Amino acid sequence: MALLQISEPGKSTSPHEHRLAIGIDLGTTNSLVASVRSGIADTMADENGNHLLPSVVHYADGKSSVVGNDALIAGQKDPVNTISSVKRMMGRSFSEINSVINRSSNRIVDTDTSVPRIETASGLKSAIEVSSDILKSLRDRAEKTLGGELFGAVITVPAYFDDAQRQATKDAAKLAGLKILRLINEPTAAAVAYGLDKRVNGIFVIYDLGGGTMDVSILKLNKGVFEVLATAGDAVLGGDDMDHLIVDYLVEESGEKNINDPVFKQSALTQARKIKENLLANDTTDIKLLLPGGEEWSGQLTREKMQTLVAPVVEKTLKPCKRAMQDAGIKKTDINGIVLVGGPTRMQIVRKLISEFFEQEPLTDIDPDKVVAVGAALQADMLAGNKNNDVLLLDVTPLSLGLEIMGGMVEKIIPRNSTIPVARAQEFTTFKDGQTAMSIHVLQGEREMVSDCRSLAKFELKGIPSLVAGAARIRVTFQVDADGLLNVSATELTSGIETRVEVIPSYGLTDGEIESMLKDSISHAGDDMAARALREQQVEADRLYEAVTAAIAQDGEALLSESKLSEIKTCLNTLDTVSKKTDRNAIKLAIEKLDKATQEFAAMRMDLGVSRALSGHNINEFTKEPD
């Protein structure tokens, strides 16, 4: 039953002014939808009173898709056509999906397009299509509850979702008939829900452990401004990994050999999830496992044993916590509170390890399942114009963005942990005389060389005026919007020609790629800087070699004696030889020697150039006062 809202005279919102906006937590295991009603943000239940919608979809031949609890039931008998944990497949390639869901009964098909498909009785389905069915179910629930057409939705994503995964989420929403108001990072949504409710200031850790992803963000809350100081995480780490560890234990205890039987795998996974839930309140739980032959195996599991089984997953989440604190430049004593997000954070072992690591008890007065959806609903209500903009969200980029420069090096344009939305520009120039095109290669990562970073996009700027090397001015602009999506443009400033690209890579980051990117950037920092310094010297050597060679071809015989020409050519040969080796000091000395040998030649060429320019003119032409 809807609540009656009573407002001060003249301060109520007119019905035609209030827009119906929702917040959606599109989770790996469960999803929720929330809205602000009568000034209170809360999640919406289905007709059976369930707030959580299992992120599971079942496809049958010739029938409509089934979502949620009904899909879970159908999956017991038909796991091949039942898709769960689809969030882990968003924005990923065929090989990546196979590595992510290699414990699943689903069959993945590598199609001609860049998007792989899942084979079902209703045909091939992409991860985007499956996610859209989940979003449609949440949309229908919201429209039924709110009694009207939706204005738009804010959908949450893990902080470590990259461009491909964010774009896939937006595509799924569009397919579900939802207008996206904004994508918001899950930890930031949790902070919105907590901060607005408590009206607090300070530094908070948002520890988000979901079914398929783990994020940790360090946020500074101050008078309605939510500034993300740093973020870290793992795009493929969560409760699903705990389930598989418990399944491995059940397989070992039951002695079952036919572990690839789809019905058995589904039964074992279902039991694993029940075990985690039951052991939240009980010290032991009974287990009934359906074996492939139709027999039933029974057993028991204690909370202590279960916590031992899942401990490796929880311990892996502490590394991102350490990294986020280092990036934010804070100590444990600076932290005012720890907000827990996600169903797995209700487990005792998670809360124990987190309290030990941060040396303080986490905040437990917030429902970890609902807090993300509630935060998204508050943000949606604001973006729909139903309330004053008294909250400012300042999120950050998880990894550095840059482009390739000569020598296979990376020039970082937007460093990681930069506040978004953000726009940064940098000017570049041509390397060769008469160069009329430039290739723009956009990269993501922390290393100094292109080969060690992830390629996002490539495009060309054509029509550059034919000028001497270094004369053209090309401004490259990187823009990251509030959803974390990147646009890159390149403009030649003298002619005004421009080209741009919306960076939508085909696939998401591979398993553990973000973690290894950051780890490698630290462990290889010294080697990377040495490699960059070497390449910079080699690029400078190549530039000088080409310039001097061209100058000799044009004016060498006219201006240089035979001995001087021989000296310069000897220096050129030496530079050409050492530049192909790895002795940076030798290259530097060869550059200096050639530069010294050509100084007089350069001055002579400059005098000759002036003489040519003045040829046929009178000096009075240049000193005459304008009319």
Side-chain angles (χ1 to χ4, degrees):
M1 183 175 70
L3 295 176
L4 176 65
Q5 181 177 355
I6 300 176
S7 304
E8 292 291 329
K11 294 185 178 181
S12 63
T13 303
S14 300
H16 67 277
E17 292 178 346
H18 187 81
R19 293 168 171 171
L20 301 179
I22 58 173
I24 293 177
D25 177 4
L26 184 60
T28 305
T29 307
N30 295 297
S31 296
L32 298 99
V33 58
S35 68
V36 177
R37 290 173 287 171
S38 301
I40 299 173
D42 198 6
T43 55
M44 289 176 270
D46 62 12
E47 59 274 11
N48 297 316
N50 299 315
H51 288 254
L52 293 173
L53 175 74
S55 301
V56 182
V57 185
H58 177 258
Y59 295 97
D61 187 16
K63 297 180 181 179
S64 300
S65 60
V66 177
V67 183
N69 287 300
D70 291 339
L72 277 177
I73 296 171
Q76 297 296 315
K77 295 182 179 179
D78 187 16
V80 174
N81 293 303
T82 304
I83 302 171
S84 59
S85 300
V86 70
K87 187 174 179 177
R88 284 191 163 189
M89 308 180 207
M90 295 286 275
R92 294 184 178 275
S93 68
F94 174 74
S95 59
E96 290 168 345
I97 289 180
N98 271 327
S99 68
V100 168
I101 63 165
N102 57 2
R103 304 289 293 271
S104 169
S105 302
N106 303 126
R107 294 186 293 267
I108 310 301
V109 179
D110 192 6
T111 62
D112 294 335
T113 68
S114 61
V115 181
R117 300 294 200 276
I118 307 162
E119 190 176 303
T120 75
S122 295
L124 299 180
K125 302 290 181 181
S126 69
I128 292 173
E129 292 173 284
V130 178
S131 295
S132 75
D133 283 335
I134 298 170
L135 290 171
K136 284 176 188 174
S137 182
L138 294 171
R139 183 204 67 192
D140 292 344
R141 179 189 298 185
E143 289 180 341
K144 185 177 180 180
T145 304
L146 299 175
E149 185 178 347
L150 300 178
F151 173 74
V154 168
I155 299 180
T156 64
V157 293
Y160 261 67
F161 257 25
D162 71 355
D163 286 311
Q165 293 162 309
R166 290 171 189 267
Q167 188 62 50
T169 304
K170 294 188 82 170
D171 290 343
K174 185 177 181 180
L175 195 60
L178 285 168
K179 175 187 174 183
I180 288 285
L181 299 175
R182 183 177 178 181
L183 296 181
I184 181 175
N185 288 346
E186 290 164 1
T188 309
V192 170
Y194 179 80
L196 288 181
D197 181 46
K198 299 295 180 183
R199 297 290 176 183
V200 294
N201 295 324
I203 294 176
F204 289 83
V205 174
I206 314 297
Y207 176 92
D208 184 354
L209 181 60
T213 59
M214 180 269 162
D215 291 310
V216 59
S217 293
I218 313 292
L219 293 97
K220 184 177 182 180
L221 280 61
N222 184 28
K223 297 179 180 178
V225 177
F226 292 74
E227 180 182 2
V228 181
L229 301 179
T231 187
D234 193 323
V236 191
L237 180 68
D240 284 2
D241 301 286
M242 296 180 182
D243 296 340
H244 290 308
L245 291 173
I246 296 172
V247 167
D248 291 340
Y249 173 78
L250 297 180
V251 168
E252 182 181 344
E253 288 295 300
S254 66
E256 179 56 45
K257 304 298 182 184
N258 188 15
I259 59 174
N260 291 322
D261 179 81
V263 175
F264 172 70
K265 285 201 292 187
Q266 189 62 42
S267 175
L269 279 172
T270 301
Q271 280 299 309
R273 289 161 186 155
K274 287 182 179 179
I275 286 168
K276 288 193 305 183
E277 189 68 29
N278 292 341
L279 291 178
L280 288 174
N282 304 297
D283 293 328
T284 62
T285 186
D286 294 327
I287 306 168
K288 290 184 179 180
L289 188 61
L290 183 64
L291 302 179
E295 297 181 6
E296 190 175 77
W297 175 82
S298 299
Q300 271 196 338
L301 186 63
T302 65
R303 180 193 295 166
E304 184 179 2
K305 178 62 179 176
M306 187 270 290
Q307 293 188 149
T308 302
L309 292 174
V310 304
V313 174
V314 187
E315 289 168 355
K316 284 180 70 175
T317 68
L318 299 181
K319 289 183 179 179
C321 293
K322 294 176 183 176
R323 189 172 68 246
M325 289 181 61
Q326 290 172 351
D327 290 346
I330 64 168
K331 304 184 295 292
K332 294 177 182 178
T333 52
D334 297 326
I335 297 170
N336 297 96
I338 302 153
V339 177
L340 299 181
V341 181
T345 62
R346 292 182 291 142
M347 299 172 67
Q348 289 86 347
I349 184 173
V350 175
R351 296 190 173 186
K352 179 176 181 292
L353 288 180
I354 291 303
S355 63
E356 289 176 353
F357 175 80
F358 288 107
E359 298 175 2
Q360 62 176 285
E361 291 295 321
L363 302 169
T364 58
D365 58 340
I366 308 169
D367 187 333
D369 283 321
K370 293 184 176 183
V371 65
V372 168
V374 167
L378 289 166
Q379 180 69 184
D381 195 53
M382 184 199 76
L383 293 175
N386 295 329
K387 63 182 297 185
N388 293 328
N389 188 354
D390 57 355
V391 179
L392 178 62
L393 301 181
L394 300 176
D395 243 322
V396 297
T397 57
L399 291 170
S400 297
L401 297 163
L403 50 80
E404 179 179 357
I405 57 175
M406 286 300 300
M409 295 177 288
V410 180
E411 184 72 15
K412 293 182 178 65
I413 308 298
I414 298 180
R416 70 187 175 100
N417 283 330
S418 294
T419 301
I420 60 173
V422 61
R424 300 275 177 86
Q426 194 160 326
E427 288 188 13
F428 297 88
T429 189
T430 50
F431 182 76
K432 294 184 177 181
D433 291 344
Q435 184 177 336
T436 59
M438 177 179 287
S439 177
I440 311 292
H441 186 192
V442 184
L443 298 143
Q444 183 179 42
E446 305 308 314
R447 302 288 295 276
E448 296 295 326
M449 307 304 291
V450 169
S451 57
D452 298 317
C453 290
R454 183 172 186 266
S455 175
L456 291 183
K458 292 182 180 180
F459 64 102
E460 277 196 351
L461 176 66
K462 297 180 180 179
I464 298 172
S466 181
L467 303 169
V468 297
R473 294 170 58 209
I474 294 95
R475 176 175 293 166
V476 180
T477 304
F478 279 44
Q479 292 178 307
V480 181
D481 64 20
D483 295 327
L485 298 175
L486 171 65
N487 282 271
V488 181
S489 63
T491 306
E492 204 288 312
L493 298 180
T494 58
S495 63
I497 63 165
E498 181 183 29
T499 186
R500 61 178 60 244
V501 63
E502 182 177 348
V503 179
I504 306 175
S506 300
Y507 315 119
L509 295 176
T510 58
D511 193 356
E513 186 172 306
I514 292 173
E515 178 71 27
S516 63
M517 276 183 170
L518 296 177
K519 189 185 298 180
D520 289 347
S521 71
I522 296 170
S523 61
H524 295 286
D527 295 338
D528 284 353
M529 292 309 296
R532 184 183 181 96
L534 173 62
R535 288 302 295 139
E536 286 175 343
Q537 288 286 12
Q538 290 172 329
V539 168
E540 175 62 17
D542 291 343
R543 184 198 63 77
L544 184 59
Y545 182 89
E546 289 195 14
V548 173
T549 301
I552 287 176
Q554 184 176 358
D555 299 316
E557 292 185 3
L559 298 178
L560 296 173
S561 65
E562 189 173 331
S563 60
K564 191 63 177 179
L565 183 61
S566 176
E567 178 191 351
I568 292 175
K569 286 184 175 180
T570 299
C571 291
L572 278 171
N573 292 333
T574 301
L575 180 62
D576 185 45
T577 301
V578 299
S579 67
K580 293 178 173 61
K581 299 180 181 180
T582 57
D583 189 339
R584 183 161 57 94
N585 290 329
I587 299 172
K588 183 179 179 182
L589 289 173
I591 289 174
E592 292 173 351
K593 191 172 183 180
L594 178 60
D595 184 59
K596 185 176 180 181
T598 56
Q599 283 180 0
E600 185 180 351
F601 179 40
M604 294 167 65
R605 290 195 78 220
M606 185 174 292
D607 290 341
L608 181 61
V610 172
S611 177
R612 287 169 178 167
L614 292 176
S615 179
H617 296 278
N618 187 294
I619 190 67
N620 293 327
E621 295 178 40
F622 301 98
T623 58
K624 184 180 179 181
E625 291 291 332
D627 294 334

